[in-house]
Amino acid sequence: MSANEIHVVFHSTYLLDGKPFIGEFTFGCPDRPMLFQPADAEGCFTLCGVTIGIGFHWQRQEDQKFRGSLLLLSDGGKAVAIDVVPVETYLTSVISSEMSASASLELLKAHAVISRSWLLAMINKSCSRTQPSDAGRQPSRHEQLNPDSVIRWYDSEAHQIFDVCADDHCQRYQGISRQTNQHVVEAISQTRGQVLTYRGELCDARFSKCCGGMTEVFETCWEPVSHPYLVTKPCPYCHTNDRRILFQVLNSYDQETNDFYRWTVSYTMSQLSDLVRRKSGIDFGLIRDLIPMERSEAGRIIRLKIVGDRRTVTVGKELEIRKWLSESHLYSSAFDVEHTADGIVLHGRGWGHGVGLCQIGAAVMGDQGIPYEDILQFYYPGTQLTRMW
């Protein structure tokens, strides 16, 4: 959390340089690092007004309660709140923030393993970076720019003053209030220290909400690196309207989205032209056409040509396409373009990038009693379960 002022409620005694703090406090930008440590193992605190879903259509603020120590730093003229917490405690929150705590035990166990794997892979990647940055939260952006094309992709290793952020950019980490089911504790306990490896290396275990029936390869969305365990394959599980299963995966604000497997978005040409101009910063004039120039084997658009009266530019990769074609983020880049009398209709599939585990599909598998080891092998073929501690 980054803000001009941070409002904290310490629910039990916390210590800063031996001085006790309990109750409500407001902190501005500190002139030195301030580490508040709990006086006992059950210590917890609340951060007020945390923004979640940054840049997405469900963006909002909520109060969130956390365990661990609270570190306040100064970054870019603002105060930054960082939770210092053990890996396994962190994961207990992640798997009940990324989905509902009422999800099946097998799904929670599968997600605990991939969330642990991804976290440690990102920490390793961050430790290998040598370029300094003064930004606490700035997605690593890679660009290939020329007058006729804008190709960008974003990675997740760019945090310099903390390991991972608490929002969708990394993994949702929304405190302990969502940990309402004993299955969450059991999932962490039964998979403690387990990670996915491929040929002895930690796996970059990506995941998305719903692959739309076909999983995606890594390089469609990010740098041109092949991970043999992130493959394109049919996923017959995520096509479900069973609200009982969907509620296992979708938190309250996720349930506001109910057309993620197959969806349509319609624009008049005037609406589309105004939207793309604002989101891209490029004045195309009146847009005349959207032409997919390159698709992945799974059907996601990697490069899209936008034809206007004044400019014609090709945009990619998938996330940049989604940014340009929506006020927040288009559900995915797996869409077909239909021309109508006064505009364009996008007929799309899935919610998210589609790489790795499909959360809706895995929820169906878990509900069918499929063991978490088999869920992981389905979405990450050729990997091994390895216990690191």
Side-chain angles (χ1 to χ4, degrees):
M1 179 183 183
S2 175
N4 292 325
E5 292 185 333
I6 292 180
H7 188 63
V8 184
V9 181
F10 294 109
H11 299 288
S12 57
T13 300
Y14 272 67
L15 301 175
L16 173 66
D17 299 329
K19 179 182 177 181
F21 286 76
I22 189 169
E24 300 183 19
F25 297 87
T26 298
F27 299 98
C29 189
D31 56 10
R32 65 178 180 87
M34 303 171 65
L35 179 63
F36 298 87
Q37 297 178 297
D40 59 69
E42 298 303 314
C44 60
F45 62 91
T46 292
L47 292 178
C48 301
V50 178
T51 302
I52 65 173
I54 297 172
F56 291 90
H57 58 279
W58 59 85
Q59 180 173 318
R60 67 202 63 197
Q61 289 190 335
E62 63 179 27
D63 297 346
Q64 296 179 348
K65 182 183 292 186
F66 300 94
R67 296 201 185 280
S69 299
L70 172 64
L71 175 62
L72 295 181
L73 297 177
S74 172
D75 184 67
K78 292 189 175 183
V80 180
I82 301 171
D83 191 14
V84 184
V85 67
V87 168
E88 300 296 327
T89 304
Y90 163 82
L91 291 170
T92 303
S93 173
V94 166
I95 65 172
S96 48
S97 300
E98 279 290 346
M99 59 197 65
S100 169
S102 63
S104 70
L105 178 59
E106 296 307 306
L107 172 59
L108 291 172
K109 288 160 67 175
H111 218 295
V113 171
I114 65 172
S115 291
R116 187 183 293 109
S117 303
W118 181 89
L119 169 69
L120 298 177
M122 289 304 102
I123 290 176
N124 284 349
K125 195 171 185 180
S126 295
C127 289
S128 68
R129 289 170 59 88
T130 58
Q131 294 183 353
S133 170
D134 61 357
R137 186 187 192 284
Q138 179 180 345
S140 179
R141 188 175 69 189
H142 308 266
E143 298 179 322
Q144 297 173 359
L145 307 177
N146 63 55
D148 300 320
S149 68
V150 176
I151 309 299
R152 291 193 179 110
W153 62 96
Y154 303 78
D155 215 335
S156 305
E157 80 281 6
H159 303 304
Q160 300 299 312
I161 60 174
F162 46 83
D163 292 317
V164 287
C165 70
D167 204 35
D168 294 78
H169 172 256
C170 288
Q171 298 186 119
R172 292 179 182 176
Y173 174 70
Q174 296 167 349
I176 62 177
S177 59
R178 289 186 169 88
Q179 300 168 25
T180 58
N181 194 300
Q182 184 61 27
H183 276 176
V184 173
V185 177
E186 292 176 14
I188 297 299
S189 175
Q190 293 180 26
T191 66
R192 181 176 177 81
Q194 287 187 353
V195 295
L196 282 180
T197 59
Y198 183 81
R199 295 183 177 177
E201 298 291 331
L202 272 169
C203 289
D204 188 342
R206 306 282 170 130
F207 55 89
S208 67
K209 193 65 66 181
C210 176
C211 71
M214 186 71 72
T215 62
E216 190 53 84
V217 296
F218 179 89
E219 52 265 43
T220 292
C221 308
W222 297 287
E223 59 188 322
V225 173
S226 176
H227 294 295
Y229 50 87
L230 298 175
V231 298
T232 294
K233 64 185 298 184
C235 173
Y237 298 102
C238 60
H239 187 193
T240 179
N241 295 314
D242 189 331
R243 305 305 296 178
R244 179 182 57 83
I245 294 177
L246 294 178
F247 288 167
Q248 295 178 19
V249 178
L250 304 179
N251 284 315
S252 57
Y253 52 88
D254 285 330
Q255 293 171 25
E256 298 166 11
T257 303
N258 54 25
D259 57 351
F260 46 81
Y261 185 76
R262 293 291 183 268
W263 49 266
T264 59
V265 174
S266 302
Y267 298 113
T268 66
M269 287 305 192
S270 177
Q271 290 173 332
L272 181 63
S273 302
D274 176 69
L275 172 66
V276 174
R277 176 185 57 78
R278 289 187 287 107
K279 296 307 293 287
S280 69
I282 299 172
D283 185 2
F284 286 85
L286 185 65
I287 290 178
R288 299 296 184 180
D289 205 357
L290 302 177
I291 304 173
M293 300 299 292
E294 181 184 359
R295 287 186 185 270
S296 69
E297 183 181 344
R300 286 171 180 80
I301 300 174
I302 303 173
R303 296 188 302 128
L304 177 73
K305 180 184 286 187
I306 302 177
V307 180
D309 287 341
R310 298 177 183 171
R311 292 282 301 276
T312 295
V313 175
T314 297
V315 58
K317 293 187 174 183
E318 67 93 31
L319 183 55
E320 194 72 4
I321 293 170
R322 293 164 62 193
K323 285 175 174 287
W324 285 23
L325 297 184
S326 173
E327 292 291 351
S328 56
H329 287 65
L330 200 67
Y331 288 157
S332 80
S333 71
F335 61 82
D336 299 313
V337 180
E338 177 192 3
H339 291 267
T340 62
D342 64 345
I344 275 180
V345 179
L346 308 181
H347 299 275
R349 305 175 293 283
W351 180 2
H353 51 69
V355 179
L357 181 135
C358 168
Q359 290 177 318
I360 300 294
V364 172
M365 296 177 76
D367 191 71
Q368 293 177 359
I370 297 175
Y372 80 103
E373 298 94 338
D374 293 344
I375 296 175
L376 294 172
Q377 195 57 222
F378 178 81
Y379 287 109
Y380 308 96
T383 60
Q384 293 80 41
L385 266 176
T386 303
R387 189 176 294 279
M388 293 190 67
W389 57 76

